[in-house]
Amino acid sequence: DGGITQSPKYLFRKEGQNVTLSCEQNLNHDAMYWYRQDPGQGLRLIYYSQIVNDFQKGDIAEGYSVSREKKESFPLTVTSAQKNPTAFYLCASSPQGVPGELFFGEGSRLTVL
Amino acid sequence: GQSLEQPSEVTAVEGAIVQINCTYQTSGFYGLSWYQQHDGGAPTFLSYNGLDGLEETGRFSSFLSRSDSYGYLLLQELQMKDSASYFCALLYNQGGKLIFGQGTELSVKP
């Protein structure tokens, strides 16, 4: 079945450590996205990529980095520079020519101790 | 700038109709989407309005008025399973920079 796979589902890290969240899709979608969600809040855009080897900053890119070396993969690194990294991270993708519709993964919940 | 406003909570009874409003202040966008998210889960797409007017998909309808900077999601024949958070989101370019509102938590009571 086609879909978006995020891993790990839960992750605990100590303050000061970098952590990389995986996002893989087999939907053949061109565009991929990373959002952050805090309790009771909306989704805030971290980074997005419309094509391989290209990506753009969203509204809250500071302290995060991404790469898009393959169409299927869009990993997110939460660096030690991110002041408040504990959150629910959602990866999504969308097909070319289908406006406004994102397909989301099940999310990764990061807790920094 | 980009700013979307939604009510934080709405409560309705099973079988009723509820409207969730979304107002925005922006300098230009392609369209307005709506998403549903159950507690702890992944958001799922409900509808997209690229043009002004009403889009109907089963029990759910969505409306957009660019002149009024306003949209809404209409849920009919409410069911308990409709209890969830609902988000409006503005699409800023065809490649899909989608910016979300803060969400409305809908509680459906028996």
Side-chain angles (χ1 to χ4, degrees):
Chain A
D1 275 13
I4 300 177
T5 303
Q6 289 188 240
S7 63
K9 190 165 179 148
Y10 298 95
L11 187 59
F12 296 86
R13 278 294 182 267
K14 291 184 179 177
E15 213 171 291
Q17 289 181 329
N18 290 0
V19 59
T20 297
L21 307 180
S22 169
C23 178
E24 303 279 329
Q25 54 103 356
N26 60 5
L27 299 167
N28 200 33
H29 289 172
D30 291 308
M32 297 187 74
Y33 312 79
W34 275 104
Y35 286 89
R36 168 184 172 139
Q37 187 174 32
D38 294 285
Q41 300 294 311
L43 285 68
R44 291 186 290 167
L45 183 63
I46 305 173
Y47 270 98
Y48 65 111
S49 167
Q50 298 176 341
I51 197 168
V52 174
N53 292 323
D54 188 43
F55 48 83
Q56 289 79 41
K57 292 182 179 180
D59 295 330
I60 56 164
E62 187 174 345
Y64 299 98
S65 66
V66 292
S67 63
R68 185 85 189 276
E69 296 175 3
K70 298 187 300 181
K71 187 175 185 177
E72 303 77 22
S73 179
F74 192 40
L76 174 74
T77 297
V78 184
T79 75
S80 56
Q82 168 49 231
K83 299 290 183 223
N84 185 17
T86 294
F88 186 46
Y89 291 89
L90 286 156
C91 179
S93 69
S94 69
Q96 191 80 342
V98 182
E101 182 175 1
L102 300 187
F103 294 76
F104 282 88
E106 292 298 313
S108 292
R109 196 169 295 277
L110 172 64
T111 302
V112 174
L113 306 170
Chain B
Q2 308 151 4
S3 172
L4 296 105
E5 297 284 336
Q6 302 178 235
S8 57
E9 296 177 350
V10 171
T11 301
V13 296
E14 211 172 358
I17 299 172
V18 72
Q19 179 173 311
I20 299 174
N21 296 326
C22 175
T23 58
Y24 56 85
Q25 297 172 13
T26 184
S27 54
F29 65 100
Y30 276 87
L32 184 72
S33 294
W34 287 92
Y35 285 78
Q36 179 192 61
Q37 185 183 32
H38 285 98
D39 234 9
T44 55
F45 172 79
L46 294 175
S47 69
Y48 174 75
N49 291 73
L51 302 173
D52 280 12
L54 193 68
E55 293 282 341
E56 296 179 80
T57 311
R59 292 188 298 115
F60 294 0
S61 303
S62 59
F63 174 82
L64 175 63
S65 169
R66 290 171 190 267
S67 59
D68 295 321
S69 297
Y70 161 73
Y72 66 72
L73 180 70
L74 191 74
L75 296 87
Q76 302 182 72
E77 301 170 20
L78 279 174
Q79 302 174 9
M80 299 297 289
K81 68 177 182 180
D82 297 329
S83 292
S85 292
Y86 292 84
F87 296 89
C88 59
L90 287 174
L91 179 66
Y92 279 91
N93 58 54
Q94 286 288 345
K97 179 178 177 181
L98 201 62
I99 301 300
F100 285 75
Q102 295 291 298
T104 298
E105 187 174 349
L106 172 64
S107 297
V108 180
K109 308 291 187 189

